[in-house]
Amino acid sequence: MDPLFVFDYVPVDGPDDAPHDGPRAPETDDAEQRFTTYWDVEKGCRGPDPVPEWVITDSGALDTELGVLKTGKEADVFLVDRTAPDGTGVVMAAKRYRDLDHRSFRRSAAYTEGRTARRTRDRRALSRKSEWGRAVAAGQWAVAEWDALCRYWSAGLPVPYPVQIDGTEILMELIEYDGTPAPRLSQVRPDVELLEEYFFQMRTAISVMAAQGVAHGDLSAYNILAAGERLVIIDLPQVIDLIANPNGPELLLRDCRNVCSWFQARGLDVDAQELFEEVTPV
């Protein structure tokens, strides 16, 4: 027999299969399991290259839900363990957007000016606020955050690596510190030296985003994670275009004010107006 047509067959248990002697995903009470959908989504729905080594792409991997990490105004974040058949595993963050009927985020109009749905049917559904329109709206926020994560990560900005998007769920890197999810910047009390380093990182990030013609739009110490000496920006669905959105300059200034006010409260001599003028594209 031609050796080119010979291969080793390795059975892979699914979520409902009985236990076997090989490695399995970790089990928890009432844990929900599914096969990974990494290769089921379109190429543009998988993270940008180069894919980090920790990302598991084995089609036989199992995703196990471990519980809620945090709840938010427009989405909830869950912990998901992805384990390959060989026992290699990684825990990721799964952000799942709610439909408009189950969200408390009420300031979306200021962020979505300048955005349009691609399909005529979707635009009509959005204007009528039909059931399909609510689904489209939730999807738009997920896609907006996905696009921002991919764009910023590729530009070298401090954001979680986006693993994949499937509908209104984004799987992304879980930012950790000392083996646990990293705290928000609002929860830490850095010394003076680290405080200065933190501000340098934020000033650089805001400047790079502005140079690309965008702003976070809702940046504050509550959506910045402190992973030791590194800051990571999260919660990016409302990223706004500084040119297409008439609220762009105002929201960029608010980002600068929110960030500077936190550093000022901890004794660092910074000025929001100066930061705004420094980062605003000429």
Side-chain angles (χ1 to χ4, degrees), residues 62-74:
L62 286 177
D63 289 349
T64 304
E65 188 163 311
L66 303 179
V68 178
L69 176 61
K70 73 166 188 172
T71 58
K73 293 174 290 188
E74 70 277 0

Side-chain angles (χ1 to χ4, degrees), residues 38-276:
Y38 186 82
W39 295 108
D40 295 334
V41 299
E42 298 178 3
K43 182 178 180 180
C45 295
R46 298 193 291 269
D49 292 329
V51 178
E53 292 184 359
W54 59 263
V55 176
I56 294 176
T57 62
D58 192 316
S59 58
L62 286 177
D63 289 349
T64 304
E65 188 163 311
L66 303 179
V68 178
L69 176 61
K70 73 166 188 172
T71 58
K73 293 174 290 188
E74 70 277 0
D76 296 323
V77 180
F78 296 79
L79 294 176
V80 173
D81 177 283
R82 176 169 290 174
T83 299
D86 65 1
T88 304
V90 64
V91 177
M92 300 174 291
K95 187 169 185 177
R96 298 169 187 165
Y97 280 85
R98 309 186 194 104
D99 62 40
L100 295 186
D101 289 338
H102 298 89
R103 290 168 52 197
S104 59
F105 195 48
R106 300 304 183 196
R107 295 177 289 124
S108 63
Y111 301 108
T112 55
E113 287 193 53
R115 293 186 195 172
T116 58
R118 295 179 182 179
R119 298 190 303 177
T120 303
R121 177 198 175 196
D122 292 343
R123 291 196 295 269
R124 288 199 302 264
L126 283 168
S127 64
R128 291 197 303 266
K129 299 182 180 179
S130 64
E131 182 177 349
W132 175 249
R134 290 191 291 271
V136 171
Q140 280 189 319
W141 285 94
V143 169
E145 176 151 30
W146 171 258
D147 288 344
L149 285 169
C150 292
R151 177 177 182 176
Y152 290 171
W153 189 87
S154 296
L157 283 161
V159 298
Y161 177 77
V163 177
Q164 69 181 77
I165 181 172
D166 190 357
T168 57
E169 178 190 75
I170 301 175
L171 277 173
M172 67 184 81
E173 175 186 5
L174 175 65
I175 304 302
E176 295 181 295
Y177 179 63
D178 281 347
T180 60
R184 299 178 184 182
L185 180 60
S186 61
Q187 298 173 292
V188 302
R189 296 294 181 269
D191 58 29
V192 174
E193 183 177 352
L194 185 55
L195 194 68
E196 293 176 346
E197 171 60 23
Y198 278 172
F199 184 74
F200 173 78
Q201 291 181 33
M202 280 299 96
R203 182 177 61 192
T204 301
I206 295 172
S207 178
V208 172
M209 285 188 280
Q212 293 190 3
V214 294
H216 184 283
D218 195 30
L219 191 61
S220 74
Y222 293 95
N223 47 34
I224 300 170
L225 300 180
E229 298 182 354
R230 180 173 70 107
L231 295 183
V232 179
I233 299 172
I234 59 172
D235 295 337
L236 300 159
Q238 69 290 313
V239 166
I240 50 95
D241 189 306
L242 292 175
I243 304 301
N245 191 320
N247 303 299
E250 177 185 348
L251 293 174
L252 174 59
L253 177 58
R254 190 176 70 183
D255 282 353
C256 294
R257 286 172 175 165
N258 288 342
V259 169
C260 286
S261 65
W262 186 85
F263 284 95
Q264 289 168 348
R266 279 142 192 83
L268 197 63
D269 184 17
V270 293
D271 184 271
Q273 187 63 39
E274 289 182 4
L275 177 60
F276 174 71

